[in-house]
Amino acid sequence: MWIPPLSDEALERLNQDLYSESQANLDYLVLVVSSCLIASFGLLSNSAAVIIGAMIIAPLMLPIRAIAFAGLTSNRALLLQSLQAIVIGLLLAIGLSWLVGKIFNVSEFGSEVLARTQPNLLDLGIALAAGAISGFAKVRPHVSDALAGTAIAVALMPPLCVVGLTLSQGLLDYSFGAFLLYMTNLFGITLACQIIFATAGCAQRPYLGRDLTSWMTILFTLALALPLGLRTLALLQQSRIQASIRSVLLNRTITVGQKTHLNRTRVEWDRKIPTVYLYVVADQPPTPRQVGLVEQFLSREMGRAYEVVFVVSEVKEVRSGVYTPLPKWLQTSPSDSQPLAPTTPASPTAPRYDPAAATPSPPTQKPLSPLETLSTPTPSPETLTPQEDAPPLNSPTPALPNNTPPPSSPNPAGQP
């Protein structure tokens, strides 16, 4: 034997330990209630860390090991006590989680709940491995610290809480899947513990091979392997189809293969028409017409109808371009105390704004020479008519006689 056989004294101590662990006393009930509430709240909040905490304190593993030992040794008292503790824990957990579900009335559950509604053969393998290490930790006390990790691996309490939460919302399919996962863990742990206990010499008695509990455990485990195996085959087929969908869309469509970058593909198979979610990155989302063309192409290639949903994360390119210096009126002077502060166009009253520089000045004209000032000859007094005798109203200066020179006045404007 690869496990050293236990002595008679060790077997008696093991029997007493299992008997005390399988009692539905106050400690057991408090642990069941607390772990159930923590697991229910963790499932509703979709928090894996909270669910793990509930797994550690859940005491459901203890009476299961007692059932395995009682079946090998034909200890009917231990068997009945362990079954009673398991049934009480099961009903209490489902009832409390159902009440929590009714109080919070969550219409849609997260991934932590949905992950425990579709068991497969992998879950049975986990249960067998966890049950084996749990039984080994019991016959080898120096490795008993591994019990907490084993409780996390098999997760007995969360499936029962999922049963209650989904029953509160009338989701019978989800409830059946979660209860199937719990039964898978129950019988998987029991069978693995019986194998370990038998290897350690706990069944070296006339009862070996004739106890009803061991045969029932084997039969129920094999019975569970059938639906779990069918479910595993369905998951493998769905995985292959999903890989084919991704390959077809990437290699044979422009919308997915060239105009967008496909990060992840997810398919929801629990609908009448499976929905394909394409998580893409693009500078602009595809149009409804493009999505419709992708749906038609995918349905034609795969031989069944699919609904395609693009989940787009938009990206935009930002380039530096060619550097263009800022205008002088936007540049910051070196003496400025905040050279990195943003500069905005200044108002006319700002100190950096020069109205004279912004307003074009009139062109400077060349002053006329003295000869050019008399460009128009002055008529003589003899030729003046009565109308011409008076200067026009809009004339700036009166007419002067020929022998009177024009008065000199300053002309700061420089106009003629």
Side-chain angles (χ1 to χ4, degrees):
M1 293 184 182
W2 59 278
I3 299 179
L6 299 178
S7 61
D8 294 339
E9 295 180 359
L11 285 175
E12 184 62 28
R13 285 196 304 268
L14 179 60
N15 187 23
Q16 294 177 359
D17 291 343
L18 293 174
Y19 189 85
S20 61
E21 291 177 355
S22 61
Q23 293 180 2
N25 51 19
L26 180 61
D27 298 339
Y28 178 81
L29 296 178
V30 170
L31 291 177
V32 169
V33 171
S34 59
S35 63
C36 175
L37 292 177
I38 295 173
S40 299
F41 295 147
L43 290 168
L44 290 178
S45 62
N46 203 36
S47 174
V50 177
I51 298 173
I52 291 174
M55 297 176 193
I56 295 176
I57 64 176
L60 299 179
M61 175 76 75
L62 304 179
I64 295 177
R65 293 189 304 188
I67 288 179
F69 184 83
L72 290 175
T73 58
S74 294
N75 190 337
R76 297 186 180 274
L78 180 60
L79 179 62
L80 293 177
Q81 179 176 285
S82 304
L83 288 175
Q84 181 183 6
I86 289 177
V87 172
I88 291 176
L90 183 146
L91 297 177
L92 190 58
I94 294 178
L96 280 177
S97 57
W98 178 88
L99 182 61
V100 171
K102 280 295 184 181
I103 293 175
F104 287 91
N105 195 22
V106 178
S107 59
E108 186 175 354
F109 296 104
S111 58
E112 293 293 337
V113 173
L114 300 179
R116 291 169 173 82
T117 59
Q118 299 176 352
N120 51 61
L121 280 179
L122 297 178
D123 297 302
L124 180 58
I126 294 173
L128 290 173
I133 191 61
S134 178
F136 183 78
K138 194 61 183 175
V139 298
R140 306 290 292 178
H142 62 280
V143 294
S144 59
D145 294 338
L147 185 58
T150 305
I152 295 174
V154 290
L156 288 165
M157 183 58 73
L160 289 179
C161 295
V162 172
V163 173
L165 293 174
T166 52
L167 279 178
S168 66
Q169 305 302 318
L171 303 175
L172 300 182
D173 293 340
Y174 288 169
S175 300
F176 176 77
F179 189 74
L180 182 61
L181 176 60
Y182 171 78
M183 297 301 293
T184 301
N185 292 334
L186 175 65
F187 286 105
I189 293 172
T190 304
L191 180 60
C193 283
Q194 285 186 336
I195 295 175
I196 295 298
F197 289 156
T199 307
C202 300
Q204 291 181 356
R205 305 184 184 280
Y207 318 118
L208 183 60
R210 291 186 292 178
D211 58 295
L212 184 61
T213 305
S214 299
W215 288 110
M216 288 181 60
T217 302
I218 295 174
L219 291 177
F220 275 105
T221 304
L222 293 177
L224 289 173
L226 179 60
L228 295 178
L230 295 177
R231 178 60 187 165
T232 303
L233 293 178
L235 289 177
L236 293 176
Q237 184 179 5
Q238 291 173 1
S239 178
R240 288 194 297 268
I241 294 175
Q242 184 170 338
S244 301
I245 290 174
R246 180 182 178 89
S247 176
V248 167
L249 294 178
L250 282 176
N251 299 327
R252 302 184 60 185
T253 62
I254 298 177
T255 303
V256 180
Q258 299 180 14
K259 293 186 176 181
T260 60
H261 176 72
L262 182 59
N263 285 336
R264 184 167 66 93
T265 305
R266 181 173 63 89
V267 183
E268 290 188 356
W269 300 97
D270 56 347
R271 302 182 180 181
K272 185 177 181 180
I273 298 178
T275 303
V276 181
Y277 288 90
L278 303 177
Y279 295 84
V280 300
V281 177
D283 55 355
Q284 58 182 0
T287 63
R289 181 177 179 273
Q290 291 174 331
V291 177
L293 293 176
V294 172
E295 282 185 353
Q296 296 176 8
F297 173 77
L298 184 61
S299 301
R300 184 172 62 252
E301 290 294 323
M302 303 304 297
R304 63 176 299 181
Y306 286 95
E307 180 184 1
V308 177
V309 178
F310 280 80
V311 182
V312 184
S313 299
E314 294 190 36
V315 295
K316 294 184 179 180
E317 293 184 355
V318 179
R319 299 179 181 270
S320 61
V322 180
Y323 171 72
T324 302
L326 293 175
K328 292 183 177 180
W329 60 278
L330 284 177
Q331 294 180 3
T332 306
S333 60
S335 60
D336 198 346
S337 59
Q338 295 181 353
L340 298 180
T343 306
T344 57
S347 62
T349 59
R352 295 181 186 174
Y353 183 77
D354 187 6
T359 305
S361 60
T364 305
Q365 299 184 1
K366 181 181 179 181
L368 297 176
S369 63
L371 296 177
E372 293 175 344
T373 59
L374 300 177
S375 58
T376 304
T378 304
S380 61
E382 295 79 7
T383 59
L384 290 176
T385 60
Q387 292 81 5
E388 295 173 344
D389 195 5
L393 296 177
N394 56 358
S395 175
T397 57
L400 299 176
N402 293 337
N403 55 357
T404 303
S408 59
S409 61
N411 188 6
Q415 296 182 357

